[in-house]
PDB file of all heavy atoms in Angstrom:
ATOM      1  N   TRP B1127      89.217 102.532 143.403  1.00  0.00           N
ATOM      2  CA  TRP B1127      89.804 103.727 142.821  1.00  0.00           C
ATOM      3  C   TRP B1127      90.310 104.580 143.993  1.00  0.00           C
ATOM      4  O   TRP B1127      89.573 104.814 144.998  1.00  0.00           O
ATOM      5  CB  TRP B1127      88.822 104.483 142.080  1.00  0.00           C
ATOM      6  CG  TRP B1127      88.507 103.902 140.737  1.00  0.00           C
ATOM      7  CD1 TRP B1127      87.443 103.039 140.377  1.00  0.00           C
ATOM      8  CD2 TRP B1127      89.225 104.029 139.538  1.00  0.00           C
ATOM      9  NE1 TRP B1127      87.457 102.713 139.077  1.00  0.00           N
ATOM     10  CE2 TRP B1127      88.591 103.213 138.524  1.00  0.00           C
ATOM     11  CE3 TRP B1127      90.368 104.632 139.179  1.00  0.00           C
ATOM     12  CZ2 TRP B1127      89.053 103.139 137.212  1.00  0.00           C
ATOM     13  CZ3 TRP B1127      90.893 104.592 137.874  1.00  0.00           C
ATOM     14  CH2 TRP B1127      90.265 103.831 136.896  1.00  0.00           C
ATOM     15  N   TYR B1128      91.586 105.045 143.852  1.00  0.00           N
ATOM     16  CA  TYR B1128      92.218 105.866 144.927  1.00  0.00           C
ATOM     17  C   TYR B1128      92.589 107.170 144.240  1.00  0.00           C
ATOM     18  O   TYR B1128      92.933 107.349 143.039  1.00  0.00           O
ATOM     19  CB  TYR B1128      93.436 105.213 145.482  1.00  0.00           C
ATOM     20  CG  TYR B1128      93.287 103.935 146.293  1.00  0.00           C
ATOM     21  CD1 TYR B1128      93.081 102.750 145.685  1.00  0.00           C
ATOM     22  CD2 TYR B1128      93.212 104.038 147.671  1.00  0.00           C
ATOM     23  CE1 TYR B1128      92.815 101.602 146.469  1.00  0.00           C
ATOM     24  CE2 TYR B1128      93.081 102.903 148.452  1.00  0.00           C
ATOM     25  CZ  TYR B1128      92.852 101.679 147.854  1.00  0.00           C
ATOM     26  OH  TYR B1128      92.677 100.568 148.626  1.00  0.00           O
ATOM     27  N   ARG B1129      92.801 108.223 145.116  1.00  0.00           N
ATOM     28  CA  ARG B1129      93.355 109.483 144.721  1.00  0.00           C
ATOM     29  C   ARG B1129      94.619 109.713 145.529  1.00  0.00           C
ATOM     30  O   ARG B1129      94.630 109.461 146.797  1.00  0.00           O
ATOM     31  CB  ARG B1129      92.337 110.636 145.000  1.00  0.00           C
ATOM     32  CG  ARG B1129      92.867 111.985 144.588  1.00  0.00           C
ATOM     33  CD  ARG B1129      91.798 113.035 144.694  1.00  0.00           C
ATOM     34  NE  ARG B1129      91.501 113.333 146.166  1.00  0.00           N
ATOM     35  CZ  ARG B1129      90.590 114.173 146.534  1.00  0.00           C
ATOM     36  NH1 ARG B1129      89.854 114.779 145.617  1.00  0.00           N
ATOM     37  NH2 ARG B1129      90.372 114.465 147.797  1.00  0.00           N
ATOM     38  N   GLN B1130      95.649 110.236 144.949  1.00  0.00           N
ATOM     39  CA  GLN B1130      96.937 110.613 145.523  1.00  0.00           C
ATOM     40  C   GLN B1130      97.227 112.050 145.177  1.00  0.00           C
ATOM     41  O   GLN B1130      97.658 112.402 144.088  1.00  0.00           O
ATOM     42  CB  GLN B1130      98.034 109.685 145.173  1.00  0.00           C
ATOM     43  CG  GLN B1130      99.322 110.021 145.904  1.00  0.00           C
ATOM     44  CD  GLN B1130     100.454 108.999 145.449  1.00  0.00           C
ATOM     45  OE1 GLN B1130     100.460 108.461 144.413  1.00  0.00           O
ATOM     46  NE2 GLN B1130     101.453 108.909 146.354  1.00  0.00           N
ATOM     47  N   GLN B1131      96.897 112.971 146.121  1.00  0.00           N
ATOM     48  CA  GLN B1131      97.131 114.399 145.910  1.00  0.00           C
ATOM     49  C   GLN B1131      98.685 114.627 145.944  1.00  0.00           C
ATOM     50  O   GLN B1131      99.396 113.802 146.584  1.00  0.00           O
ATOM     51  CB  GLN B1131      96.324 115.232 146.835  1.00  0.00           C
ATOM     52  CG  GLN B1131      94.814 115.083 146.611  1.00  0.00           C
ATOM     53  CD  GLN B1131      93.964 115.866 147.577  1.00  0.00           C
ATOM     54  OE1 GLN B1131      94.043 115.650 148.774  1.00  0.00           O
ATOM     55  NE2 GLN B1131      93.191 116.794 147.050  1.00  0.00           N
ATOM     56  N   SER B1135      99.524 110.901 150.669  1.00  0.00           N
ATOM     57  CA  SER B1135      99.343 109.440 150.620  1.00  0.00           C
ATOM     58  C   SER B1135      98.110 109.154 149.764  1.00  0.00           C
ATOM     59  O   SER B1135      97.505 110.034 149.125  1.00  0.00           O
ATOM     60  CB  SER B1135      99.144 108.913 152.012  1.00  0.00           C
ATOM     61  OG  SER B1135      98.984 107.555 152.018  1.00  0.00           O
ATOM     62  N   LEU B1136      97.732 107.936 149.715  1.00  0.00           N
ATOM     63  CA  LEU B1136      96.532 107.524 148.927  1.00  0.00           C
ATOM     64  C   LEU B1136      95.276 107.505 149.792  1.00  0.00           C
ATOM     65  O   LEU B1136      95.291 107.146 150.958  1.00  0.00           O
ATOM     66  CB  LEU B1136      96.687 106.106 148.421  1.00  0.00           C
ATOM     67  CG  LEU B1136      97.653 105.888 147.191  1.00  0.00           C
ATOM     68  CD1 LEU B1136      99.070 105.953 147.615  1.00  0.00           C
ATOM     69  CD2 LEU B1136      97.348 104.648 146.500  1.00  0.00           C
ATOM     70  N   THR B1137      94.197 108.030 149.185  1.00  0.00           N
ATOM     71  CA  THR B1137      92.885 108.004 149.790  1.00  0.00           C
ATOM     72  C   THR B1137      91.885 107.184 148.902  1.00  0.00           C
ATOM     73  O   THR B1137      91.787 107.479 147.706  1.00  0.00           O
ATOM     74  CB  THR B1137      92.366 109.409 149.947  1.00  0.00           C
ATOM     75  OG1 THR B1137      93.312 110.207 150.764  1.00  0.00           O
ATOM     76  CG2 THR B1137      91.047 109.450 150.679  1.00  0.00           C
ATOM     77  N   ILE B1139      88.684 106.368 147.079  1.00  0.00           N
ATOM     78  CA  ILE B1139      87.499 107.077 146.628  1.00  0.00           C
ATOM     79  C   ILE B1139      86.339 106.189 146.736  1.00  0.00           C
ATOM     80  O   ILE B1139      85.287 106.586 147.250  1.00  0.00           O
ATOM     81  CB  ILE B1139      87.674 107.578 145.192  1.00  0.00           C
ATOM     82  CG1 ILE B1139      88.833 108.513 145.035  1.00  0.00           C
ATOM     83  CG2 ILE B1139      86.422 108.120 144.595  1.00  0.00           C
ATOM     84  CD1 ILE B1139      89.246 108.825 143.597  1.00  0.00           C
ATOM     85  N   PHE B1154      83.463 111.650 149.236  1.00  0.00           N
ATOM     86  CA  PHE B1154      83.398 111.424 147.763  1.00  0.00           C
ATOM     87  C   PHE B1154      81.942 111.106 147.367  1.00  0.00           C
ATOM     88  O   PHE B1154      81.244 110.339 148.057  1.00  0.00           O
ATOM     89  CB  PHE B1154      84.336 110.276 147.328  1.00  0.00           C
ATOM     90  CG  PHE B1154      85.789 110.607 147.644  1.00  0.00           C
ATOM     91  CD1 PHE B1154      86.313 110.145 148.793  1.00  0.00           C
ATOM     92  CD2 PHE B1154      86.557 111.375 146.755  1.00  0.00           C
ATOM     93  CE1 PHE B1154      87.694 110.391 149.062  1.00  0.00           C
ATOM     94  CE2 PHE B1154      87.855 111.624 147.018  1.00  0.00           C
ATOM     95  CZ  PHE B1154      88.437 111.162 148.169  1.00  0.00           C
ATOM     96  N   PHE B1159      82.380 111.851 140.987  1.00  0.00           N
ATOM     97  CA  PHE B1159      83.248 110.749 140.630  1.00  0.00           C
ATOM     98  C   PHE B1159      82.331 109.603 140.186  1.00  0.00           C
ATOM     99  O   PHE B1159      82.475 108.493 140.847  1.00  0.00           O
ATOM    100  CB  PHE B1159      84.168 110.371 141.787  1.00  0.00           C
ATOM    101  CG  PHE B1159      85.158 111.379 142.174  1.00  0.00           C
ATOM    102  CD1 PHE B1159      84.896 112.162 143.304  1.00  0.00           C
ATOM    103  CD2 PHE B1159      86.280 111.654 141.475  1.00  0.00           C
ATOM    104  CE1 PHE B1159      85.776 113.174 143.742  1.00  0.00           C
ATOM    105  CE2 PHE B1159      87.191 112.636 141.870  1.00  0.00           C
ATOM    106  CZ  PHE B1159      86.963 113.405 142.973  1.00  0.00           C
ATOM    107  N   GLU B1179      91.793 121.874 142.207  1.00  0.00           N
ATOM    108  CA  GLU B1179      91.894 121.024 143.369  1.00  0.00           C
ATOM    109  C   GLU B1179      91.862 119.522 143.054  1.00  0.00           C
ATOM    110  O   GLU B1179      92.261 118.689 143.872  1.00  0.00           O
ATOM    111  CB  GLU B1179      90.806 121.376 144.379  1.00  0.00           C
ATOM    112  CG  GLU B1179      90.962 122.729 145.060  1.00  0.00           C
ATOM    113  CD  GLU B1179      90.622 123.807 144.120  1.00  0.00           C
ATOM    114  OE1 GLU B1179      89.727 123.709 143.209  1.00  0.00           O
ATOM    115  OE2 GLU B1179      91.248 124.951 144.239  1.00  0.00           O
ATOM    116  N   ASP B1180      91.389 119.255 141.867  1.00  0.00           N
ATOM    117  CA  ASP B1180      91.307 117.781 141.421  1.00  0.00           C
ATOM    118  C   ASP B1180      92.656 117.340 140.804  1.00  0.00           C
ATOM    119  O   ASP B1180      92.748 116.112 140.504  1.00  0.00           O
ATOM    120  CB  ASP B1180      90.213 117.646 140.417  1.00  0.00           C
ATOM    121  CG  ASP B1180      88.823 117.855 140.970  1.00  0.00           C
ATOM    122  OD1 ASP B1180      88.625 117.465 142.139  1.00  0.00           O
ATOM    123  OD2 ASP B1180      88.002 118.478 140.342  1.00  0.00           O
ATOM    124  N   SER B1182      95.678 115.524 140.682  1.00  0.00           N
ATOM    125  CA  SER B1182      96.135 114.439 141.489  1.00  0.00           C
ATOM    126  C   SER B1182      96.618 113.258 140.629  1.00  0.00           C
ATOM    127  O   SER B1182      96.387 113.314 139.388  1.00  0.00           O
ATOM    128  CB  SER B1182      95.007 113.874 142.348  1.00  0.00           C
ATOM    129  OG  SER B1182      94.541 114.787 143.351  1.00  0.00           O
ATOM    130  N   ILE B1183      97.065 112.208 141.234  1.00  0.00           N
ATOM    131  CA  ILE B1183      97.217 110.934 140.580  1.00  0.00           C
ATOM    132  C   ILE B1183      96.040 110.065 140.966  1.00  0.00           C
ATOM    133  O   ILE B1183      95.731 109.970 142.152  1.00  0.00           O
ATOM    134  CB  ILE B1183      98.471 110.224 140.973  1.00  0.00           C
ATOM    135  CG1 ILE B1183      99.757 111.151 140.668  1.00  0.00           C
ATOM    136  CG2 ILE B1183      98.646 108.885 140.281  1.00  0.00           C
ATOM    137  CD1 ILE B1183     101.035 110.545 141.240  1.00  0.00           C
ATOM    138  N   TYR B1184      95.375 109.482 139.976  1.00  0.00           N
ATOM    139  CA  TYR B1184      94.310 108.570 140.263  1.00  0.00           C
ATOM    140  C   TYR B1184      94.767 107.141 139.936  1.00  0.00           C
ATOM    141  O   TYR B1184      95.210 106.919 138.810  1.00  0.00           O
ATOM    142  CB  TYR B1184      93.109 108.960 139.387  1.00  0.00           C
ATOM    143  CG  TYR B1184      92.454 110.348 139.861  1.00  0.00           C
ATOM    144  CD1 TYR B1184      93.034 111.518 139.349  1.00  0.00           C
ATOM    145  CD2 TYR B1184      91.500 110.352 140.800  1.00  0.00           C
ATOM    146  CE1 TYR B1184      92.537 112.769 139.853  1.00  0.00           C
ATOM    147  CE2 TYR B1184      90.980 111.712 141.235  1.00  0.00           C
ATOM    148  CZ  TYR B1184      91.496 112.783 140.743  1.00  0.00           C
ATOM    149  OH  TYR B1184      91.079 114.017 141.193  1.00  0.00           O
TER     150      TYR B1184
END
Side-chain angles (χ1 to χ4, degrees):
Chain B
W1127 288 98
Y1128 290 83
R1129 182 175 72 182
Q1130 185 180 22
Q1131 294 177 301
S1135 186
L1136 282 79
T1137 302
I1139 297 171
F1154 298 95
F1159 298 101
E1179 292 72 33
D1180 295 319
S1182 295
I1183 301 173
Y1184 292 86

